[in-house]
Amino acid sequence: QNKYLLLYPYNSTYYGNVELSRLRFWLPENQKAVEGSFDPAYGYAVAKATSLETTPESQIVFKNVMALLKFTIPAELAGEITQIAVWGKNSDHVAGELICDYSGDEPVTAPYRKYYTDKDKGKTATGINDANGMAPGYYYLVICPGEYSKGLVVSVTTKSGRKYRREKTTGFTLNSGVIYDMGKIEAETYNVKVKGV
């Protein structure tokens, strides 16, 4: 029987165990844009263990419990993009208070409202931000895994305040520990290309 359920990274948005098999934590609406990576405060991983002492035969193994969306900023848009925001077309809780249930063999992350009746703890949008404009390269947005029955909306905001919005209108599922390539941002011609979904 597992005595410990561990969350990494630990930060002020960790709410603790709901039960021995469930953890509560927070994914914000605004994440920091980090070139070549994701906001390190929110790349959550969870492990369960019978003991905190490890040996070569008994390791504590953390598993990624979030999905990642990958966006590419091309050289011609260097410093122009200040925000990439995402939300579900069915008022899906893409962020906010989340629950990771690790009662089975694999951890399952879902919005708080899947388990409890208080629906105000979720956020229907999340995004990466850099007020100075993002450098060219890859950026990853951490998002709640799960089924998005009506698709996703992606909104790209430029330094001048212009917004370009594209949608994926068919339903799909985002899985924990998987990176989904959303393609290259090309200003007015930007289109959401969800490869592998």
Side-chain angles (χ1 to χ4, degrees):
Q1 181 181 0
N2 292 295
K3 296 179 181 179
Y4 301 97
L5 197 55
L6 310 169
L7 177 70
Y8 178 86
Y10 170 80
N11 58 46
S12 60
T13 62
Y14 169 61
Y15 297 133
N17 286 0
V18 178
E19 304 162 6
L20 188 57
S21 63
R22 292 181 185 167
L23 291 172
R24 296 167 58 201
F25 53 93
W26 185 264
L27 182 67
E29 292 175 281
N30 296 306
Q31 300 172 41
K32 181 172 63 176
V34 179
E35 198 274 314
S37 189
F38 50 84
D39 188 327
Y42 305 109
Y44 292 112
V46 172
K48 59 182 177 180
T50 55
S51 170
L52 296 181
E53 295 182 17
T54 61
T55 67
E57 296 79 31
S58 176
Q59 300 286 322
I60 295 176
V61 178
F62 282 86
K63 296 187 178 183
N64 295 322
V65 295
M66 306 302 292
L68 293 176
L69 303 182
K70 176 184 175 184
F71 298 91
T72 303
I73 307 282
E76 58 268 26
L77 291 178
E80 290 298 313
I81 307 300
T82 58
Q83 182 187 60
I84 301 171
V86 175
W87 61 91
K89 291 178 62 66
N90 195 32
S91 298
D92 307 282
H93 283 186
V94 298
E97 191 163 341
L98 305 177
I99 302 287
C100 178
D101 185 332
Y102 208 162
S103 55
D105 292 336
E106 295 295 326
V108 177
T109 303
Y112 184 92
R113 70 177 180 183
K114 179 176 179 181
Y115 295 98
Y116 305 101
T117 57
D118 186 347
K119 300 190 186 313
D120 294 332
K121 294 182 180 287
K123 298 295 181 183
T124 55
T126 189
I128 51 175
N129 301 272
D130 184 341
N132 296 319
M134 298 177 204
Y138 302 122
Y139 292 83
Y140 298 89
L141 172 67
V142 181
I143 188 170
C144 182
E147 182 181 355
Y148 291 88
S149 61
K150 295 185 178 178
L152 281 179
V153 176
V154 176
S155 175
V156 176
T157 305
T158 67
K159 236 180 204 177
S160 65
R162 293 189 68 183
K163 294 189 180 215
Y164 303 102
R165 173 177 157 160
R166 295 293 181 265
E167 302 181 8
K168 178 172 175 55
T169 56
T170 55
F172 59 91
T173 299
L174 296 177
N175 295 304
S176 297
V178 177
I179 297 172
Y180 296 91
D181 191 341
M182 303 297 282
K184 183 167 71 170
I185 292 176
E186 300 173 285
E188 294 180 48
T189 63
Y190 176 58
N191 205 348
V192 179
K193 302 167 186 170
V194 187
K195 297 175 183 173
V197 174

